[in-house]
Amino acid sequence: MNAGRTTDVATPSAGTPDGPSGGGVDDTCDGGGVDDASDGTSGEASGAVFGGVELKARDLGVRGAHGWVYRHVSLHAAPGTLTVVTGEAGSGRTSLLLTLAGRMKPTEGTLTVGGLATPRGIRRIAALGLFPEVNPFDDALTVREHLQERLRPHGFLWRRRHPDAVRSALAHAGLDPDALPRGDRTLARELTRAQAVRLGVALALLDQPGLLLVDDAGTGIPAGRRRELWDVLRGLADQGLTVVAACTDAEEATGAASTLLPLPVPAPPAPGAGDAAETGERR
């Protein structure tokens, strides 16, 4: 990782400062994909490998049966950035990523991704990496079979026009099939956690997303492999994609992230609270 990279920390009120410093598994493929820039793609990303999209969230919150899952989240992510959401288990990391992907409807706040504001629209241009509770692998299928399954909805003509799509996706995800125990015939259950996460990224890239979301990026992966994975995600961002990933330990992602967004976000002060405190101090 580039230790010299500047990392912003998103604040609950404003998120990442506006500007270029920072950007599911769905069967549709018309998004900001490889080689084609979609609506909502910034001029920065033109000519890049991926057509990332701009993400804007303001005061997002999701309330569940037992209270708020997360709340007061604001974020601006431009194409070509890696936003890392950090927090302990139960902080709402996964739910936030699913909201940003159009898979969970927010209870409050506003969200646009690539200029789209409806969950259905967002799902067309956002793709999930491996979320074990949402899109687990079929352990009885091989790596090759998972890749074939993901390509099938694109249709024969698309696959014929993109004969190197699988090879390109695997390369960008940093997964070398030749390094697997039985090549691309390796069963999903035989993959290490690091290999599984990379396969999830490769499958997501086949959907040609403008926004990629990766949950629990470092969980169950040795330290050295975690650094390599962050380099892969940083590399995708550097090639134009908008990437949002989640992890527990903020320190491990600091060198790669454009922005760190810690959860939970503190509640903003009540209106007039600052004035009241200032008045009390003067007394």
Side-chain angles (χ1 to χ4, degrees):
M1 289 185 291
N2 182 356
R5 182 176 299 279
T6 300
T7 303
D8 296 326
V9 177
T11 62
S13 59
T16 305
D18 288 341
S21 63
V25 180
D26 194 275
D27 290 340
T28 56
C29 61
D30 48 340
V34 177
D35 297 329
D36 296 312
S38 66
D39 291 342
T41 302
S42 84
E44 274 194 291
S46 60
V49 174
F50 301 99
V53 294
E54 185 178 42
L55 182 158
K56 291 184 177 181
R58 184 169 182 81
D59 294 327
L60 282 185
V62 165
R63 186 180 179 91
H66 303 289
W68 289 98
V69 180
Y70 69 83
R71 202 177 185 189
H72 309 303
V73 173
S74 294
L75 172 68
H76 171 246
T81 59
L82 168 60
T83 300
V84 179
V85 180
T86 65
E88 298 297 330
S91 62
R93 294 182 328 231
T94 300
S95 295
L96 175 59
L97 264 61
L98 291 174
T99 305
L100 299 179
R103 301 310 180 94
M104 185 176 287
K105 188 174 181 180
T107 306
E108 64 181 15
T110 60
L111 171 67
T112 60
V113 179
L116 303 171
T118 65
R120 182 178 181 180
I122 292 171
R123 287 196 298 270
R124 293 172 55 198
I125 57 175
L128 301 179
L130 176 61
F131 282 57
E133 302 301 319
V134 178
N135 59 356
F137 293 149
D138 184 335
D139 285 344
L141 295 183
T142 66
V143 169
R144 175 186 293 186
E145 289 167 335
H146 277 98
L147 292 163
Q148 291 172 339
E149 285 294 316
R150 184 56 67 90
L151 281 175
R152 186 167 290 116
H154 291 304
F156 172 77
L157 291 179
W158 186 94
R159 295 195 300 270
R160 186 172 181 178
R161 289 197 304 268
H162 301 83
D164 295 325
V166 167
R167 183 183 305 173
S168 175
L170 289 171
H172 282 107
L175 182 62
D176 179 6
D178 293 335
L180 301 179
R182 291 188 288 159
D184 64 4
R185 297 185 184 277
T186 300
L187 293 172
R189 64 170 173 264
E190 298 175 308
L191 298 174
T192 66
R193 168 66 183 173
Q195 291 167 343
V197 172
R198 289 170 185 257
L199 177 59
V201 170
L203 292 172
L205 292 178
L206 289 175
D207 283 346
Q208 297 186 295
L211 170 65
L212 170 68
L213 302 109
V214 180
D215 194 26
D216 288 334
T219 302
I221 301 176
R225 295 297 183 188
R226 287 200 301 271
R227 288 192 293 272
E228 293 173 2
L229 178 59
W230 287 116
D231 285 342
V232 166
L233 297 179
R234 180 67 251 173
L236 291 171
D238 287 343
Q239 294 176 83
L241 193 59
T242 309
V243 184
V244 180
C247 68
T248 301
D249 186 359
E251 184 176 353
E252 70 181 34
T254 299
S258 308
T259 300
L260 293 175
L261 176 60
L263 293 181
V265 175
D275 295 339
E278 184 178 351
T279 301
E281 288 176 2
R282 288 177 179 175
R283 290 177 183 172

